[in-house]
Amino acid sequence: MNNFIYEYPIKTFFGEGCVGQHLGSQLQNYGKTVLLAYGQGSIKKNGIYEEISSILKAAGKTIVDFAGIMPNPTYDKVQEGAALVRENHVDFILAVGGGSVIDCCKVVAAQAKTDQDIWEMEFSGHRYPDKWVPMGAVVTAAGTGSEMNSGAVITNESKMIKAGVFGAHADFAFLDTAYTLSLPAGQVLSGAFDTLSHAMETYLGTSDQDNVSDDVALAVMRNTVVNMRRLLVDVNDRQARSNLMWDAAMAENGILKCGRLTDFQAHQIEHQLGAYTDCNHGQGLAVIHPAYYRHIVGDALEKFTRFAKVVFEVDTAEAGVEALAAFIRECGLPVRLGELKSKVEITPEVLRKVADSCNIIGSNPRQLDKEEIYQILMECI
Ligand code: NZQ
Ligand code: ZN
């Protein structure tokens, strides 16, 4: 294990009914004006908006609506939210949505507290926010685990970069499975695949085999696969949904990352693909992972072998990678770039730009270069 400091500041409420039972009392700890942030309309259709608004009103809050946060939230949307917070003297931000809404709010919360441009501060100045408007998160789409940490993924359209930006962490997070039931089946599975990816990318970041973080990561991977298979039988299996919701949280609450480096190269490739195509995050990962792992399997044979045995019950490293590819097909997730919903045609020229602008991770199993990232992408076309 490498040295680390572990502190966990996010109070987590889990289970059906937890929002109705506990949100009101949590809100008493904050001022009167609440920014209610959400996506592009799902919470208005499934009744969540009404339920949360009633809880806010009963707690005596004045609501400022921040609507229309898009999947793959943009930096412009962050600035819009920060302006709303300042203009309305917002005391507290309540993010109600999936990873996109929660990510956007984390950076809104930090941007509202500084006159400096957060993107420049982090990417040019290498400084990170230590002040923010307090926020809470109510999860309506599980998978990213965004509610569990202070990292956000934001698309800066003027720079054509989708990248990790640090912002606020939520003071509290609500994980109520019932709030996810209206999610389309495809999004449930792509979200769950994102969880699997987080655990795999964390696990592969160090060559040491015997640390407890790896053992927990393997358990999360195995449990995610088992419960995704249950959803293939019945997408409304509530136990499986709740198991996956906690898998998602476990993968990103920092426990798996204690004392070790992480990889996250597949994520870097997908994020930059997202900057150009606006594709769905979990689906993009499903396309990229097998191709990426075929390139690096020989660089981490022991780790891939253990992954193969524990997660897919096959004997060799290569068989494990192919079992992952077969599992992706079994779930009906996209396997080729052409199957992704994209705002541009995905051509070799676009993939060259994605590869050239992709962030490269220096840790295990092996550092790629831009040419190899281009090759990996071309193998997915
Ligand atoms: O916008 P609305 O209308 O709400 O619709 C959303 C959206 O279209 C819909 N949805 C959410 N909850 C619903 C629902 N539809 C019906 N019923 C519900 N209960 O689902 C669609 C996708 O939502 P989104 O929030 O974009 O999905 P997800 O949770 O997968 O988040 C993806 C974003 O998170 C980032 C990704 O890059 C991407 O931008 N990530 C954030 C991470 C983090 N902060 O730790 C880690 C991840 O690796 C990831 O990069
Ligand atoms: Zn992810």
Side-chain angles (χ1 to χ4, degrees):
M1 300 290 278
N2 299 338
N3 294 9
F4 64 90
I5 298 171
Y6 186 75
E7 182 180 353
Y8 202 65
I10 304 170
K11 184 164 184 170
T12 306
F13 297 83
F14 187 90
E16 289 199 16
C18 65
V19 176
Q21 276 170 27
H22 299 292
L23 178 59
S25 62
Q26 289 305 300
L27 291 168
Q28 300 306 335
N29 302 326
Y30 306 95
K32 194 172 166 56
T33 307
V34 174
L35 188 82
L36 176 54
Y38 52 98
Q40 296 184 315
S42 69
I43 72 164
K44 292 238 163 140
K45 292 186 199 130
N46 57 21
I48 294 176
Y49 181 85
E50 255 182 60
E51 187 172 334
I52 302 245
S53 301
S54 309
I55 294 170
L56 285 165
K57 283 178 197 153
K61 306 297 178 185
T62 304
I63 300 172
V64 177
D65 253 36
F66 177 35
I69 300 172
M70 62 291 279
N72 302 323
T74 64
Y75 196 52
D76 286 350
K77 197 70 187 172
V78 167
Q79 297 306 330
E80 183 190 324
L84 264 181
V85 170
R86 290 194 194 107
E87 281 158 21
N88 293 282
H89 306 288
V90 164
D91 299 304
F92 185 74
I93 299 172
L94 188 62
V96 184
S100 295
V101 170
I102 299 169
D103 279 5
C104 184
C105 288
K106 290 173 178 177
V107 191
V108 165
Q111 181 66 86
K113 282 284 194 186
T114 174
D115 293 333
Q116 288 180 63
D117 181 274
I118 289 267
W119 193 281
E120 291 310 321
M121 181 175 138
E122 297 198 11
F123 290 95
S124 307
H126 305 289
R127 285 181 298 105
Y128 299 92
D130 54 8
K131 282 197 295 263
W132 47 75
V133 177
M135 68 172 277
V138 177
V139 177
T140 68
T144 65
S146 171
E147 68 280 5
M148 293 284 106
N149 58 52
S150 60
V153 186
I154 301 295
T155 301
N156 189 321
E157 291 182 301
S158 62
K159 296 186 190 300
M160 285 302 276
I161 293 176
K162 182 177 180 191
V165 180
F166 286 98
H169 61 73
D171 286 357
F172 58 74
F174 282 88
L175 293 92
D176 183 337
T177 324
Y179 274 30
T180 70
L181 291 178
S182 56
L183 201 60
Q187 178 65 40
V188 177
L189 288 166
S190 69
F193 188 79
D194 188 23
T195 300
L196 180 62
S197 169
H198 294 161
M200 294 189 299
E201 299 239 65
T202 303
Y203 169 79
L204 283 173
T206 181
S207 54
D208 175 28
Q209 284 278 36
D210 294 323
N211 65 82
V212 68
S213 304
D214 272 10
D215 288 358
V216 181
L218 286 163
V220 170
M221 287 179 227
R222 192 181 158 88
N223 196 263
T224 301
V225 168
V226 164
N227 284 290
M228 286 175 76
R229 286 196 162 125
R230 277 176 64 168
L231 290 190
L232 296 179
V233 178
D234 175 10
V235 75
N236 292 318
D237 179 337
R238 288 168 103 108
Q239 274 299 339
R241 291 276 197 120
S242 79
N243 292 338
L244 286 166
M245 204 170 199
W246 190 240
D247 285 328
M250 280 297 293
E252 281 299 318
N253 65 10
I255 291 277
L256 270 50
K257 297 177 184 173
C258 285
R260 60 201 320 301
L261 296 171
T262 61
D263 179 18
F264 280 85
Q265 186 62 64
H267 264 70
Q268 300 305 313
I269 300 172
E270 193 288 328
H271 285 161
Q272 211 34 28
L273 182 69
Y276 280 85
T277 65
D278 200 26
C279 67
N280 175 282
H281 176 60
Q283 293 187 354
L285 289 169
V287 173
I288 291 162
H289 260 289
Y292 171 46
Y293 284 172
R294 286 181 192 117
H295 275 248
I296 60 163
V297 64
D299 301 292
L301 270 179
E302 276 186 33
K303 293 215 83 162
F304 271 109
T305 305
R306 188 162 176 225
F307 161 80
K309 288 184 173 160
V310 174
V311 182
F312 288 112
E313 296 173 11
V314 293
D315 283 336
T316 66
E318 291 80 2
V321 174
E322 295 317 314
L324 173 68
F327 176 66
I328 290 166
R329 287 193 295 275
E330 179 188 336
C331 291
L333 288 162
V335 294
R336 308 237 65 91
L337 291 173
E339 293 171 54
L340 297 176
K341 198 165 159 235
S342 168
K343 67 178 180 185
V344 296
E345 192 189 343
I346 303 178
T347 61
E349 293 70 38
V350 168
L351 296 182
R352 176 63 77 185
K353 287 183 190 160
V354 170
D356 284 350
S357 53
C358 182
N359 189 30
I360 293 177
I361 301 285
S363 55
N364 281 306
R366 171 166 62 80
Q367 187 167 336
L368 304 181
D369 59 22
K370 292 185 189 310
E371 189 54 38
E372 194 172 5
I373 292 173
Y374 178 65
Q375 280 170 28
I376 290 168
L377 285 164
M378 285 299 287
E379 286 159 19
C380 299
I381 214 160

